Amino acid sequence: GVLGFELGYSLENPNSLVMWEAQFGDFANSAQIIIDQFISSGEAKWLRQTGVTLLLPHGYDGQGPEHSSCRMERYLQMSDEPPDKIPADMTLDTRTQIQEANWQICNVTTPANYFHLLRRQVHREFRKPLIVISPKNLLRHPKCVSPLSDFDDEEASQTEQGIRFKRLIMDKTATSRNKVDPPLEPNAKRVVFCTGKVYYELDAEREAMQREDDVKIVRIEQLSPFPWDLVDRELRRYPNAEVVWCQEEPMNMGAWAHISPRFQTLFKEKHINRPLDALKYAGRAPAASPSTGYGLVHAEEQVGLVKEALMAD
């Protein structure tokens, strides 16, 4: 009922940033009727745009099956973007990828990107629902910080964020966002793609292993619509690297089923030319429950998937 009210408010007040937050993303299934019948498909059925924003805390912290997963796979499954068709125009000023999609699904990992994501939601000239898979863990994570330059009005360098929301965040050692001719790094042995807070665990383990030179970690901040052009750039940047997808969720949950066919579509491109099975999976095994109820088992699983992603012994 409350989500239905917020949806109606967003329709009547399109210039307001209307947000509905679940205490944990797991609890959003009690509002599934509104999500299925109205938010995901309302524009297709009735030509009514809404910018309602759902904040669904999601992240594996060992708090059990009812406090870990917003079931992002369900929202991704309801996205109407084809997995086998790369948009012809992905330039900044003329692309219509989001306009043609039914909604946006984002898993942001920095304060600046969160700010720019919400700013973009009301600054643009059209409205689309936004699903934010926002980990509570990052509210207090010592490394989840953004310099003031990332909130600035203009881009002073290739590495600073400026006024833009980043659909994908490069590895922290990368220095160029050039999509046409990115500088190649042939010595990289493995590039790990991920989304969400697992990045910080991967980065900490990589630092401990002292493998920042040959293992790269790329964060996909906007899962849908898929950032085809930016993932393409990263695959070209690391031509000799093994490609890995790492997630905290079980294999039958999370973003694996969403991103896997899209990576295969990119692998078919002549300028990338990788085997269709080139994407490796690092994460939990398929399961009926989103997570274990035992803290020690959770910790053991988490350490295992991080090490598997980084090729640690």
Side-chain angles (χ1 to χ4, degrees), residues 209-237:
M209 295 165 56
Q210 298 183 335
R211 295 197 60 188
E212 292 173 318
D213 291 336
D214 66 337
V215 175
K216 308 299 179 181
I217 306 173
V218 177
R219 286 170 272 179
I220 298 181
E221 302 277 287
Q222 178 177 290
L223 290 162
S224 181
F226 192 69
W228 297 95
D229 52 332
L230 303 182
V231 175
D232 179 295
R233 179 192 66 194
E234 299 308 307
L235 290 174
R236 285 183 287 131
R237 191 194 304 273

Side-chain angles (χ1 to χ4, degrees), residues 79-86 226 228 257-266 268:
S79 298
D80 63 357
E81 181 187 50
D84 56 352
K85 183 180 178 182
I86 301 175
F226 192 69
W228 297 95
H258 175 77
I259 63 96
S260 181
R262 288 165 173 79
F263 269 84
Q264 289 182 349
T265 298
L266 286 170
K268 294 176 186 177

Side-chain angles (χ1 to χ4, degrees), residues 91-289:
T91 55
L92 177 63
D93 296 327
T94 58
R95 65 173 178 249
T96 58
Q97 190 187 23
I98 292 180
Q99 289 92 321
E100 295 170 4
N102 63 325
W103 57 11
Q104 315 145 89
I105 302 171
C106 299
N107 194 355
V108 292
T109 57
T110 69
N113 225 24
Y114 188 42
F115 166 77
H116 289 298
L117 175 66
L118 297 181
R119 177 181 180 272
R120 180 182 78 164
Q121 187 70 356
V122 291
H123 186 66
R124 53 165 62 122
E125 296 179 350
F126 62 91
R127 293 291 175 259
K128 288 287 174 180
L130 171 63
I131 312 298
V132 183
I133 303 164
S134 45
K136 289 189 175 185
N137 173 287
L138 298 188
L139 292 172
R140 56 187 181 275
H141 197 289
K143 289 197 172 184
C144 183
V145 295
S146 296
L148 284 176
S149 58
D150 277 0
F151 297 87
D152 208 349
D153 286 339
E154 53 187 63
E155 298 196 34
S157 74
Q158 281 285 309
T159 55
E160 289 182 354
Q161 184 162 326
I163 61 171
R164 300 290 178 192
F165 166 69
K166 287 184 176 180
R167 295 171 293 144
L168 176 148
I169 298 181
M170 309 179 296
D171 183 78
K172 64 183 182 181
T173 63
T175 57
S176 173
R177 296 209 294 266
N178 187 337
K179 292 195 294 184
V180 178
D181 189 22
L184 302 184
E185 299 188 29
N187 294 328
K189 295 180 180 178
R190 176 167 275 214
V191 54
V192 180
F193 288 85
C194 65
T195 187
K197 77 171 188 66
V198 71
Y199 162 77
Y200 291 98
E201 294 166 75
L202 289 167
D203 187 46
E205 181 65 19
R206 179 178 61 172
E207 285 185 4
M209 295 165 56
Q210 298 183 335
R211 295 197 60 188
E212 292 173 318
D213 291 336
D214 66 337
V215 175
K216 308 299 179 181
I217 306 173
V218 177
R219 286 170 272 179
I220 298 181
E221 302 277 287
Q222 178 177 290
L223 290 162
S224 181
F226 192 69
W228 297 95
D229 52 332
L230 303 182
V231 175
D232 179 295
R233 179 192 66 194
E234 299 308 307
L235 290 174
R236 285 183 287 131
R237 191 194 304 273
Y238 309 112
N240 301 322
E242 186 176 21
V243 185
V244 179
W245 172 258
C246 179
Q247 67 176 36
E248 300 179 294
E249 302 83 6
M251 194 177 196
N252 58 320
M253 304 177 195
W256 169 248
H258 175 77
I259 63 96
S260 181
R262 288 165 173 79
F263 269 84
Q264 289 182 349
T265 298
L266 286 170
F267 290 159
K268 294 176 186 177
E269 294 294 293
K270 290 183 180 179
H271 58 278
I272 295 177
N273 192 27
R274 290 176 180 259
L276 292 182
D277 61 350
L279 183 65
K280 309 299 181 185
Y281 172 81
R284 288 177 167 84
S289 173

